[in-house]
Amino acid sequence: MGKIKKQDILEILNKYDKDEITIATLGSHTSLHMLNGAKEEGFNTAVVCQKGRDTPYRRFGVADEYIMIDEYKDIANEDIQEKLKNMNSIVIPHGSFVAYAGLDRIEDEFLVPMFGNRDILRWEAERTLERQLLVENDIRLPIKYNDPSEIDRAVMVKFPGARGGRGFFVASSPEEFDKKIESMKARNWVDEEDVGMAHIEEYVSGCNYCIHFFYSALNDEVELMGIDSRYESSIDGIVRMPAQDQLEVDLSPSYVITGNHPVVMRESLLPQAFDIGDKLVDAAKKLVAPGLNGPFCMQTLVNDNLEVIVFEISARSDGGNNTFMNGSAYSYLKYGEGMSMGRRIAREIKIAIEKGELDKVIT
Ligand code: AMP
């Protein structure tokens, strides 16, 4: 079976009753405000939910319909796809949807109309493709080291796959790299194969800003929707200890996201933020058409030279969007009302339906 073609999706969309569209997603990640925002824009909503995990959706009352599944990954099963299509569903992808359904199945088997660009999801998941998107337009990113023997300053070492920051470590010499790898092997956090695939990059000593944009394909405009900063275990717990204790306990920190804080940037940094967002949208249009339609996020660190350095991107709704379920400082400036990312997505779909341009925002 080959990749799903846009034409196949458009044929399904043609059969939909456009007055009865349902916005659906997997119950996890950023689904609460997606469904809530869809209701605010007047849509029916459906949550595809793993049995036993439905409490938040029922308590907050964000879903009109529940499709219960045994395991998250079942969202891509044929019978669930049929149920979604029978409800005239447009599915909104997010980080958990991509992780559980799997890129191969999303590209080859998931024949339900989705918001955004399904082909770009692979670009954020694979580090070399992600770097290509950034390098294409001279976006400042951490310097990459091709071999541990080259380490000449503090570096961050990362491993492939969705480990959520577990096992990342900092080293400042080849010897320290080897020592830390040995200790990680002893904990079974990495094996020999992982070591060969370690990604080594400059450690950026700076503050974390995850900048959330929405690219409107209808208006050809990049909108700054909000900014968050990560709250990560165990590093954010460790730094609360006095330095002396940190040395004595000799803990190896991990960088597992447990939550997010809303933040704003120095106003003088905003031109850089917009510039990088615009460049990324341009690069994506060229490299993986139609581009970064919909929500995307640049995870950045800002150093004391006031450089905004991008270390990661999300080419779909990012978890930090949960910090502005009722709007952010920035979405207030643009909309003057509680505009979450979920509501912005639903509004784009609503306008696309009104203009007869759904094909521009669906894949
Ligand atoms: P990631 O899984 O790539 O999102 O990274 C998890 C966390 O590791 C980030 O939120 C940062 O706290 C930290 N981090 C990642 N890359 C770097 C870097 N190049 N320099 C400093 N810290 C980093």
Side-chain angles (χ1 to χ4, degrees):
M1 191 182 279
K3 268 192 171 189
I4 291 171
K5 294 185 195 69
K6 174 103 179 206
Q7 195 50 39
D8 303 332
I9 296 293
L10 291 182
E11 274 167 29
I12 294 164
L13 207 55
N14 277 340
K15 294 188 199 133
Y16 274 12
D17 178 349
K18 307 293 186 307
D19 295 324
E20 293 292 332
I21 294 285
T22 298
I23 303 276
T25 194
L26 184 67
S28 181
H29 199 263
T30 40
S31 58
L32 278 173
H33 74 78
M34 283 180 179
L35 298 171
N36 190 60
K39 268 169 121 35
E40 283 172 325
E41 293 297 311
F43 287 102
N44 305 319
T45 58
V47 64
V48 183
C49 202
Q50 179 167 301
K51 285 179 190 150
R53 305 298 288 266
D54 49 336
T55 306
Y57 314 101
R58 295 195 193 275
R59 292 278 179 97
F60 289 118
V62 293
D64 298 315
E65 307 286 343
Y66 289 78
I67 302 176
M68 302 307 291
I69 49 180
D70 290 328
E71 291 179 80
Y72 285 120
K73 68 175 173 51
D74 296 344
I75 188 168
N77 288 358
E78 258 176 53
D79 56 332
I80 305 300
Q81 293 189 37
E82 274 320 301
K83 283 188 182 165
L84 286 167
K85 281 186 277 195
N86 289 339
M87 292 180 187
N88 303 303
S89 297
I90 295 175
V91 168
I92 319 288
H94 53 54
S96 299
F97 170 76
V98 175
Y100 288 116
L103 285 169
D104 290 339
R105 291 175 84 200
I106 293 172
E107 287 173 354
D108 301 344
E109 294 168 31
F110 192 68
L111 260 167
V112 183
M114 275 171 53
F115 180 75
N117 177 2
R118 73 174 75 206
D119 291 337
I120 204 158
L121 300 171
R122 186 171 290 282
W123 284 67
E124 67 148 61
E126 294 181 12
R127 221 179 275 283
T128 42
L129 292 177
E130 183 189 33
R131 259 189 106 77
Q132 208 179 323
L133 260 181
L134 295 166
V135 170
E136 173 79 2
N137 262 310
D138 290 335
I139 293 170
R140 171 76 165 93
L141 61 169
I143 298 159
K144 182 176 183 294
Y145 289 76
N146 292 319
D147 193 87
S149 63
E150 295 170 5
I151 298 174
D152 59 352
R153 69 188 82 181
V155 295
M156 187 74 164
V157 183
K158 305 181 180 183
F159 295 94
R163 288 153 202 261
R166 190 181 298 282
F168 285 15
F169 67 85
V170 180
S172 359
S173 65
E175 296 71 35
E176 192 182 343
F177 176 92
D178 290 342
K179 196 170 136 223
K180 289 197 169 161
I181 288 284
E182 286 314 313
S183 111
M184 291 194 50
K185 278 191 197 156
R187 287 164 189 242
N188 284 328
W189 280 10
V190 293
D191 58 27
E192 208 47 62
E193 199 187 338
D194 294 326
V195 177
M197 290 194 285
H199 170 86
I200 307 170
E201 67 183 30
E202 164 195 7
Y203 182 88
V204 181
S205 178
C207 304
N208 176 230
Y209 296 88
C210 297
I211 311 172
H212 305 280
F213 289 102
F214 182 89
Y215 172 62
S216 166
L218 298 179
N219 303 337
D220 190 23
E221 186 182 346
V222 182
E223 301 170 19
L224 174 57
M225 295 294 295
I227 307 182
D228 84 281
S229 178
R230 309 302 200 209
Y231 206 30
E232 294 167 338
S233 266
S234 59
I235 184 71
D236 287 317
I238 292 176
V239 295
R240 295 189 66 214
M241 280 183 201
Q244 188 65 43
D245 295 345
Q246 288 181 24
L247 290 173
E248 277 165 19
V249 293
D250 190 26
L251 287 170
S252 301
S254 46
Y255 298 78
V256 178
I257 293 185
T258 61
N260 309 72
H261 317 273
V263 290
V264 291
M265 284 185 135
R266 250 175 105 134
E267 196 163 311
S268 56
L269 289 169
L270 288 177
Q272 271 194 76
F274 276 110
D275 184 49
I276 301 171
D278 289 351
K279 281 178 168 170
L280 207 50
V281 164
D282 285 344
K285 275 183 192 163
K286 280 182 241 151
L287 291 172
V288 51
L292 266 170
N293 296 9
F296 69 99
C297 170
M298 305 182 320
Q299 297 172 45
T300 75
L301 292 156
V302 179
N303 65 18
D304 55 2
N305 278 333
L306 297 178
E307 287 176 293
V308 179
I309 302 169
V310 183
F311 66 92
E312 195 94 68
I313 53 172
S314 306
R316 36 80 197 158
S317 175
D318 177 274
N321 287 331
N322 288 337
T323 56
F324 57 100
M325 296 197 195
N326 190 31
S328 74
Y330 301 105
S331 75
Y332 173 74
L333 289 175
K334 174 92 180 148
Y335 289 99
E337 61 183 323
M339 184 60 78
S340 67
M341 189 63 90
R343 187 170 182 184
R344 181 65 190 86
I345 294 168
R347 184 160 299 177
E348 186 87 344
I349 295 173
K350 191 162 96 178
I351 297 170
I353 294 171
E354 283 163 10
K355 289 183 160 179
E357 294 185 345
L358 256 186
D359 59 311
K360 279 196 182 170
V361 301
I362 297 303
T363 188

